[in-house]
PDB file of all heavy atoms in Angstrom:
ATOM      1  N   VAL A  12     251.412 182.419 142.230  1.00 90.00           N
ATOM      2  CA  VAL A  12     250.123 182.266 141.613  1.00 90.00           C
ATOM      3  C   VAL A  12     249.003 182.775 142.496  1.00 90.00           C
ATOM      4  O   VAL A  12     248.155 183.545 141.957  1.00 90.00           O
ATOM      5  CB  VAL A  12     249.886 180.792 141.364  1.00 90.00           C
ATOM      6  CG1 VAL A  12     248.502 180.557 140.691  1.00 90.00           C
ATOM      7  CG2 VAL A  12     250.952 180.072 140.483  1.00 90.00           C
ATOM      8  N   LEU A  13     249.020 182.504 143.714  1.00 90.00           N
ATOM      9  CA  LEU A  13     247.875 182.811 144.561  1.00 90.00           C
ATOM     10  C   LEU A  13     247.974 184.152 145.346  1.00 90.00           C
ATOM     11  O   LEU A  13     247.096 184.510 145.983  1.00 90.00           O
ATOM     12  CB  LEU A  13     247.676 181.689 145.597  1.00 90.00           C
ATOM     13  CG  LEU A  13     247.423 180.318 145.009  1.00 90.00           C
ATOM     14  CD1 LEU A  13     247.343 179.286 146.075  1.00 90.00           C
ATOM     15  CD2 LEU A  13     246.201 180.321 144.099  1.00 90.00           C
ATOM     16  N   THR A  14     249.133 184.912 145.148  1.00 87.00           N
ATOM     17  CA  THR A  14     249.288 186.156 145.854  1.00 87.00           C
ATOM     18  C   THR A  14     249.482 187.217 144.777  1.00 87.00           C
ATOM     19  O   THR A  14     250.349 187.070 143.898  1.00 87.00           O
ATOM     20  CB  THR A  14     250.562 186.078 146.805  1.00 87.00           C
ATOM     21  OG1 THR A  14     250.329 185.012 147.694  1.00 87.00           O
ATOM     22  CG2 THR A  14     250.731 187.363 147.498  1.00 87.00           C
ATOM     23  N   PRO A  15     248.768 188.269 144.748  1.00 86.00           N
ATOM     24  CA  PRO A  15     247.771 188.633 145.660  1.00 86.00           C
ATOM     25  C   PRO A  15     246.403 187.787 145.369  1.00 86.00           C
ATOM     26  O   PRO A  15     246.269 187.347 144.324  1.00 86.00           O
ATOM     27  CB  PRO A  15     247.456 190.070 145.427  1.00 86.00           C
ATOM     28  CG  PRO A  15     247.840 190.299 143.990  1.00 86.00           C
ATOM     29  CD  PRO A  15     248.956 189.302 143.714  1.00 86.00           C
ATOM     30  N   ASN A  16     245.660 187.733 146.391  1.00 87.00           N
ATOM     31  CA  ASN A  16     244.401 186.928 146.333  1.00 87.00           C
ATOM     32  C   ASN A  16     243.300 187.887 145.784  1.00 87.00           C
ATOM     33  O   ASN A  16     242.479 188.374 146.539  1.00 87.00           O
ATOM     34  CB  ASN A  16     243.979 186.439 147.695  1.00 87.00           C
ATOM     35  CG  ASN A  16     242.804 185.531 147.629  1.00 87.00           C
ATOM     36  OD1 ASN A  16     242.242 185.261 146.613  1.00 87.00           O
ATOM     37  ND2 ASN A  16     242.430 185.008 148.806  1.00 87.00           N
ATOM     38  N   ASP A  17     243.304 188.081 144.427  1.00 88.00           N
ATOM     39  CA  ASP A  17     242.420 189.053 143.820  1.00 88.00           C
ATOM     40  C   ASP A  17     241.570 188.385 142.838  1.00 88.00           C
ATOM     41  O   ASP A  17     241.169 188.971 141.728  1.00 88.00           O
ATOM     42  CB  ASP A  17     243.168 190.200 143.244  1.00 88.00           C
ATOM     43  CG  ASP A  17     244.135 189.731 142.143  1.00 88.00           C
ATOM     44  OD1 ASP A  17     244.321 188.486 142.002  1.00 88.00           O
ATOM     45  OD2 ASP A  17     244.764 190.561 141.525  1.00 88.00           O
ATOM     46  N   PHE A  18     241.099 187.151 143.036  1.00 91.00           N
ATOM     47  CA  PHE A  18     240.302 186.325 142.048  1.00 91.00           C
ATOM     48  C   PHE A  18     238.826 186.749 142.163  1.00 91.00           C
ATOM     49  O   PHE A  18     238.283 186.763 143.234  1.00 91.00           O
ATOM     50  CB  PHE A  18     240.572 184.844 142.301  1.00 91.00           C
ATOM     51  CG  PHE A  18     241.959 184.439 142.230  1.00 91.00           C
ATOM     52  CD1 PHE A  18     242.675 184.196 143.398  1.00 91.00           C
ATOM     53  CD2 PHE A  18     242.600 184.265 141.011  1.00 91.00           C
ATOM     54  CE1 PHE A  18     244.018 183.786 143.284  1.00 91.00           C
ATOM     55  CE2 PHE A  18     243.900 183.861 140.894  1.00 91.00           C
ATOM     56  CZ  PHE A  18     244.607 183.646 142.086  1.00 91.00           C
ATOM     57  N   PRO A  19     238.179 186.927 141.004  1.00 93.00           N
ATOM     58  CA  PRO A  19     236.788 187.257 141.050  1.00 93.00           C
ATOM     59  C   PRO A  19     235.916 186.031 141.340  1.00 93.00           C
ATOM     60  O   PRO A  19     234.772 186.191 141.790  1.00 93.00           O
ATOM     61  CB  PRO A  19     236.454 187.837 139.669  1.00 93.00           C
ATOM     62  CG  PRO A  19     237.601 187.289 138.802  1.00 93.00           C
ATOM     63  CD  PRO A  19     238.746 187.056 139.717  1.00 93.00           C
ATOM     64  N   CYS A  20     236.428 184.861 141.040  1.00 94.00           N
ATOM     65  CA  CYS A  20     235.649 183.632 141.249  1.00 94.00           C
ATOM     66  C   CYS A  20     236.566 182.428 141.255  1.00 94.00           C
ATOM     67  O   CYS A  20     237.756 182.525 140.924  1.00 94.00           O
ATOM     68  CB  CYS A  20     234.622 183.452 140.152  1.00 94.00           C
ATOM     69  SG  CYS A  20     235.307 183.258 138.482  1.00 94.00           S
ATOM     70  N   LEU A  21     236.060 181.234 141.653  1.00 94.00           N
ATOM     71  CA  LEU A  21     236.846 180.031 141.741  1.00 94.00           C
ATOM     72  C   LEU A  21     237.389 179.627 140.366  1.00 94.00           C
ATOM     73  O   LEU A  21     238.422 179.070 140.260  1.00 94.00           O
ATOM     74  CB  LEU A  21     236.072 178.865 142.367  1.00 94.00           C
ATOM     75  CG  LEU A  21     235.852 179.037 143.917  1.00 94.00           C
ATOM     76  CD1 LEU A  21     235.026 177.917 144.449  1.00 94.00           C
ATOM     77  CD2 LEU A  21     237.222 179.126 144.667  1.00 94.00           C
TER      78      LEU A  21
END
Side-chain angles (χ1 to χ4, degrees):
V12 182
L13 301 176
T14 304
N16 185 0
D17 59 355
F18 302 101
C20 63
L21 288 178

